[in-house]
Amino acid sequence: MECRCCASPLDRPGDYCLVCRSRNTDVVVLECDRERATVTSLFDDEIVGQRTVTTKREADQRWAPTELRNFAGRIADEARRKRPEEVYATGDREVIAAVRGELHHPFYRVEDDDPVDAVRRKRGDPALEVVEATVAEKLGGSHSTLIGGRDGRRALETVAEHPHVKKIIPGPIDAGGSSSRTGVRAKATRADQHGNVRLLIRDGSSVQENRIVTTAGDRELGEHVRADLNDALSESELKG
């Protein structure tokens, strides 16, 4: 394949052109099974490249983390060389979580029998503003009391990493709920008419309701953000 701008040859279809500094892929879709992943490159909703990455699952638990890390790294390398605007992923949560940790692109989960087609449909929705702010800047009232200790803080940071989250406002703590024996759990609730959601963090019998201000603007788009947040919390093993 040649670069669409300068016609320079590309090592792989959809690669970023290092000659004229042009992008030949705007979206990457990852379909991840535990031992096989398909990396699809899209430009203007057309498939411009597809590559399969495989691994052999390590039975010896001493080496299993290394094998998974290497597999995720190879998948991430395929996405990085495209320099896409966004990455979408579906499939094995363990693999996706490992890949997500390797990438710094806006990263979303997509659930559909045909994930590539689902991404095409989703990108037809109105574009949401991306918030260019650090996690610390999004955590309003950072000196407020937070429940759950380190895990509670990690839940807030997971949510704050989402590109369509503007602000997190920690709320009051209710200590009169039913006790949970599963540790700290977090869940984003249904979006309101302005596209904002609530993040409920439960630790034992205590519950804290935190307001999440998003760039969605209405309930329908807010539901997309809420689904992304709950997927991220699941990947962090905090969803409950």
Side-chain angles (χ1 to χ4, degrees), residues 42-238:
L42 300 177
F43 187 82
D44 285 343
D45 289 341
E46 295 297 323
I47 296 177
V48 296
Q50 210 164 42
R51 192 172 180 86
T52 300
V53 179
T54 61
T55 188
K56 183 176 181 180
R57 193 165 188 170
E58 180 58 62
D60 189 331
Q61 291 306 304
R62 293 176 300 173
W63 302 110
T66 301
E67 175 269 318
L68 175 61
R69 185 168 59 251
N70 290 341
F71 181 40
R74 291 168 57 211
I75 298 169
D77 283 344
E78 288 297 324
R80 270 195 297 266
R81 64 187 297 139
K82 314 304 181 189
R83 301 193 190 179
E85 295 175 354
E86 299 173 323
V87 176
Y88 291 82
T90 187
D92 187 280
R93 289 188 180 276
E94 186 180 28
V95 174
I96 291 174
V99 174
R100 187 174 196 158
E102 296 274 345
L103 294 174
H104 300 290
H105 306 283
F107 194 106
Y108 309 98
R109 282 190 63 91
V110 58
E111 297 294 345
D112 197 272
D113 291 337
D114 187 342
V116 172
D117 187 56
V119 168
R120 287 174 172 143
R121 295 195 307 269
K122 186 170 185 177
R123 283 175 60 81
D125 293 338
L128 296 183
E129 175 192 355
V130 172
V131 179
E132 300 290 348
T134 66
V135 169
E137 289 170 335
K138 292 181 182 182
L139 286 174
S142 58
H143 297 293
S144 302
T145 301
L146 304 175
I147 70 170
R150 181 177 300 175
D151 283 341
R153 180 81 182 184
R154 184 160 61 92
L156 291 180
E157 290 174 345
T158 297
V159 169
E161 287 173 354
H162 194 283
H164 303 319
V165 168
K166 287 183 178 179
K167 202 80 170 174
I168 300 177
I169 305 171
I173 298 172
D174 181 359
S178 58
S179 181
S180 170
R181 298 181 180 178
T182 56
V184 175
R185 314 307 297 164
K187 179 180 180 180
T189 66
R190 190 168 185 266
D192 64 19
Q193 61 182 346
H194 303 296
N196 300 322
V197 301
R198 303 277 176 175
L199 178 69
L200 300 180
I201 301 179
R202 182 182 299 276
D203 181 24
S205 61
S206 298
V207 179
Q208 184 170 25
E209 183 178 288
N210 305 279
R211 184 173 179 233
I212 312 299
V213 182
T214 78
T215 62
D218 61 42
R219 177 173 284 125
E220 183 178 359
L221 293 177
E223 281 297 292
H224 289 302
V225 176
R226 180 187 67 84
D228 283 342
L229 296 179
N230 281 329
D231 282 337
L233 291 167
S234 291
E235 290 165 11
S236 298
E237 298 183 348
L238 292 167

